[in-house]
Amino acid sequence: MDKLEEIYDVLLENFGEQEWWPADSNFEVIVGAILTQNTSWKNVEKVINRMKQEEILSMENIIEIKEDKLQQIIRPSGFYRQKARRLKRISKQIYESASSLEDFFEDKNIDELRKELLNIKGIGKETADSIILYSAHKPSFVVDAYTKRIFKRIGMDIGESYNEIKSFLEDNLHEDVEIYKEYHALLVELAKNHCKKKPECKECPLSYLCGYFEKNTIKIKGNKN
DNA sequence: ACCCAGGTGGCCC
DNA sequence: GGGCCACATGGG
């Protein structure tokens, strides 16, 4: 199935390297992954900058800060009460299970790491895979609503559930961290630029593959465990 | 006044 | 396993 590779090449040629994930540290990737849950990246950027000002962008400082203070700082990213709880919970669990973020990542293989992340309340599949790929820098393909929407629009049946889609992509691509990182980033870029202008978006680099498609709201089934 | 955004967990059947 | 809902702010 080198249709996947063809799509990758076309997107890369049109959009260029995306240089994902935009963050100054591996821990910042984790924070961003939590904050962006069902939330626009614009709002998350605002909050990340605030957190830098307040100097709370480290595990230790997230653990130390009062929860209600954290809530107020992250407020613009929405769901701020549960996200504050999640940030503190995740920081604590990583801090207690390893001496550093690097150790937390290095001691285990991808499956073990994924299982451990999914065990933390507030980390679902997409967040877990985002952390594994962009924070731990290990190959685990990130599936999101865009991924399913785009391939469906193109007319490819890549499955309904998170696991089906993830397996399809991983089984049909060369296992490579940099490819996984870039592919997901390119899909997001495509979705943001073109896939809302429907159905006759001629500037879309994939328009030659694109079928008619009336709804934007595509849910990934079983996006839990 | 809607609808959507780089989801997740809880509860129900 | 799936369907529905709460969670919350900001932008189109």
Side-chain angles (χ1 to χ4, degrees), chain A residues 1-14 141 150-151 154 156 158 168-176 179-180 182-184 186-187 205-206 208-209:
Chain A
M1 178 65 68
D2 37 29
K3 192 160 185 181
L4 284 182
E5 294 181 14
E6 179 193 344
I7 292 166
Y8 179 85
D9 292 339
V10 171
L11 292 178
L12 186 57
E13 200 171 309
N14 279 271
F141 205 100
I150 290 166
F151 285 109
I154 289 170
M156 285 175 76
I158 63 169
F168 179 89
L169 292 165
E170 291 186 346
D171 291 348
N172 291 292
L173 284 171
H174 187 55
E175 187 181 76
D176 181 312
I179 301 280
Y180 285 11
E182 194 61 31
Y183 212 136
H184 176 68
L186 286 166
L187 291 174
L206 295 183
Y208 70 106
L209 295 169

Side-chain angles (χ1 to χ4, degrees), chain A residues 110-111 114 125 128-134 137-143 162 166 170 175-177 180-181 184:
Chain A
I110 294 181
D111 284 342
R114 193 162 192 270
K125 294 182 177 180
D129 289 327
S130 298
I131 291 171
I132 296 168
L133 185 60
Y134 295 108
H137 308 283
K138 298 180 182 194
S140 191
F141 205 100
V142 178
V143 176
Y162 191 99
K166 180 182 172 66
E170 291 186 346
E175 187 181 76
D176 181 312
V177 197
Y180 285 11
K181 284 183 181 180
H184 176 68

Side-chain angles (χ1 to χ4, degrees), chain A residues 38-147:
Chain A
N38 204 44
T39 301
S40 71
W41 183 252
K42 264 271 179 250
N43 290 6
V44 176
E45 271 182 321
K46 197 181 309 177
V47 168
I48 297 261
N49 287 332
R50 278 208 204 194
M51 292 177 78
K52 283 179 178 165
Q53 300 253 277
E54 304 282 340
E55 300 185 328
I56 53 164
L57 218 42
S58 70
M59 269 196 280
E60 291 84 352
N61 293 344
I62 299 259
I63 291 168
E64 290 304 318
I65 192 174
K66 284 280 190 189
E67 190 157 330
D68 54 341
K69 176 125 189 254
L70 181 58
Q71 285 181 4
Q72 295 319 309
I73 296 170
I74 70 170
R75 193 170 188 144
S77 71
F79 304 123
Y80 60 92
R81 291 188 203 91
Q82 47 169 281
K83 282 177 181 174
R85 208 175 315 130
R86 287 174 184 182
L87 287 175
K88 285 182 91 51
R89 182 159 44 213
I90 287 152
S91 300
K92 229 173 270 172
Q93 295 208 22
I94 294 176
Y95 191 79
E96 282 166 5
S97 93
S99 53
S100 70
L101 187 57
E102 279 58 45
D103 282 359
F104 179 77
F105 287 148
E106 288 322 310
D107 288 351
K108 25 196 170 284
N109 63 38
I110 294 181
D111 284 342
E112 292 167 339
L113 178 55
R114 193 162 192 270
K115 235 172 245 164
E116 189 158 348
L117 288 170
L118 287 173
N119 236 15
I120 303 175
K121 229 200 294 177
I123 301 188
K125 294 182 177 180
E126 188 184 335
T127 307
D129 289 327
S130 298
I131 291 171
I132 296 168
L133 185 60
Y134 295 108
S135 182
H137 308 283
K138 298 180 182 194
S140 191
F141 205 100
V142 178
V143 176
D144 63 2
Y146 292 154
T147 311

Side-chain angles (χ1 to χ4, degrees), chain A residues 207-225:
Chain A
S207 58
Y208 70 106
L209 295 169
C210 212
Y212 181 81
F213 178 56
E214 59 295 317
K215 282 228 163 176
N216 253 340
T217 52
I218 287 195
K219 297 290 182 200
I220 298 172
K221 282 185 187 169
N223 194 359
K224 290 176 188 156
N225 269 325

